[in-house]
């Protein structure tokens, strides 16, 4: 029974349910980019890092120190729930000179998240083959899930045999603090303001979005590109 959500509200949880979150910085996968030249997206590297992230998060479940024994039991003997998400989508699109939300951007965005989805689930099934599926799995019911039915047949076929290591794998978290630490746009959101005023200890300051600030230095009197 889902009876609560996590602090940011994007994830429904059962009693004593928890989830460790991780994010792939999509901006970092745009190669051969500079401020006046569109880059290309490295989908092969994205797939590799999605697989690494799933293994990393699954290991965190076993390495973590739990506040309550009920939480430890739910994770280790129950769900093994993880949440792999992204940050930097808006910055990745800017680097490829694609306007967020445009028809031109949609195929690439679809491919990014399909790549993450398929790599994450395939790797979780691989770990299940090595170490066992999450303890509370009912494989027959799991395969009937609406989301699971959208996975490639090859992954579902492996899942039918080995199960899956993690009951839930993907999560679109807001990534507010981690985006600031990474110097990238947050979550899946667009860049809401390319320049804004910030009031802090040093008084009122004009702050530029990082990529836009870089572009503006080279093009001080030009209108910013649509992307």
């Amino acid at each position: 029974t889902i009876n609560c959500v996590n602090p940011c509200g994007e994830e429904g949880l059962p009693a004593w349910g928890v989830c460790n979150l991780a994010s792939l910085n999509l901006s970092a996968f745009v190669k051969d980019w500079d401020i006046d030249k569109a880059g290309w997206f490295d989908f092969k590297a994205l797939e590799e890092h999605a697989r690494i992230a799933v293994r990393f998060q699954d290991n965190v479940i076993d390495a973590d120190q739990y506040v309550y024994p009920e939480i430890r039991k739910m994770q280790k003997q129950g769900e093994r729930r993880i949440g792999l998400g992204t940050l930097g989508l808006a910055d990745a699109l800017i680097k490829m000179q694609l306007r967020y939300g445009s028809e031109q951007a949609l195929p690439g965005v679809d491919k990014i998240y399909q790549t993450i989805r398929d790599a994450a689930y395939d790797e979780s099934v691989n770990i299940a083959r090595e170490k066992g599926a999450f303890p509370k799995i009912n494989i027959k019911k799991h395969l009937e899930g609406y989301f699971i039915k959208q996975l490639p047949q090859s992954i579902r076929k492996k899942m039918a045999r080995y199960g899956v290591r993690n009951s839930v794998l993907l999560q679109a978290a807001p990534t507010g603090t981690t985006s600031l630490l990474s110097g990238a746009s947050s979550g899946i959101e667009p860049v809401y303001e390319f320049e804004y005023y910030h009031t802090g200890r040093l008084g009122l300051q004009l702050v530029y979005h990082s990529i836009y600030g870089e572009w503006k230095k080279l093009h001080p009197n030009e209108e910013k590109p649509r992307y």
Side-chain angles (χ1 to χ4, degrees):
T1 301
I2 295 172
N3 68 350
C4 63
V5 295
N6 70 327
C8 290
E10 79 272 9
E11 179 179 22
L13 292 164
W16 305 107
V18 291
C19 176
N20 59 79
L21 302 176
S23 298
L24 295 160
N25 182 359
L26 299 177
S27 180
F29 294 97
V30 181
K31 310 296 184 181
D32 298 332
W33 166 84
D34 66 42
I35 206 67
D36 288 315
K37 174 191 164 191
W40 56 275
F41 198 91
D42 190 342
F43 287 98
K44 186 174 185 294
L46 179 67
E47 179 187 344
E48 290 171 0
H49 281 75
R51 290 178 182 277
I52 292 167
V54 168
R55 285 188 175 269
F56 177 83
Q57 286 176 273
D58 186 66
N59 287 337
V60 166
I61 292 170
D62 296 317
D64 207 352
Q65 296 180 20
Y66 294 94
V67 179
Y68 297 107
E70 292 90 347
I71 295 176
R72 184 190 296 111
K73 183 178 178 182
M74 176 61 82
Q75 269 293 68
K76 290 189 174 184
Q77 299 174 32
E79 301 182 313
R80 300 194 69 88
R81 180 190 294 255
I82 62 172
L84 177 62
T86 60
L87 53 85
L89 173 62
D91 284 356
L93 293 175
I94 290 169
K95 287 181 175 182
M96 292 187 286
Q97 297 188 0
L98 295 168
R99 185 177 174 88
Y100 185 104
S102 67
E103 289 294 323
Q104 293 76 21
L106 293 178
V109 173
D110 279 348
K111 188 174 179 181
I112 285 169
Y113 287 98
Q114 183 177 335
T115 299
I116 294 170
R117 180 198 69 182
D118 294 352
Y121 269 90
D122 189 60
E123 197 62 21
S124 187
V125 172
N126 289 342
I127 303 170
R129 183 179 182 178
E130 297 166 22
K131 302 179 181 180
F134 71 92
K136 285 194 173 183
I137 192 171
N138 177 322
I139 293 178
K140 185 174 182 294
K141 275 190 175 182
H142 206 79
L143 288 166
E144 291 170 358
Y146 176 79
F147 188 80
I148 300 298
K149 283 183 176 179
Q150 298 176 62
L151 294 173
Q153 183 62 31
S154 58
I155 297 176
R156 296 181 74 248
K157 188 175 179 180
K158 277 205 302 184
M159 192 183 292
R161 183 172 181 182
Y162 301 110
V164 63
R165 180 68 167 172
N166 313 97
S167 61
V168 180
L169 281 102
L170 307 174
Q171 192 60 257
T175 72
T177 307
T178 47
S179 295
L180 289 171
L181 288 168
S182 304
S185 57
S186 64
I188 59 171
E189 288 84 12
V191 177
Y192 293 108
E193 294 289 348
F194 285 93
E195 51 185 287
Y196 58 92
Y197 284 97
H198 173 75
T199 303
R201 294 180 183 178
L202 300 177
L204 193 66
Q205 291 180 298
L206 179 61
V207 180
Y208 292 112
H209 171 266
S210 59
I211 300 176
Y212 175 61
E214 205 176 320
W215 178 86
K216 196 172 178 65
K217 284 179 188 174
L218 298 173
H219 306 273
N221 300 311
E222 297 179 31
E223 187 177 340
K224 69 174 177 284
R226 280 185 55 77
Y227 59 83

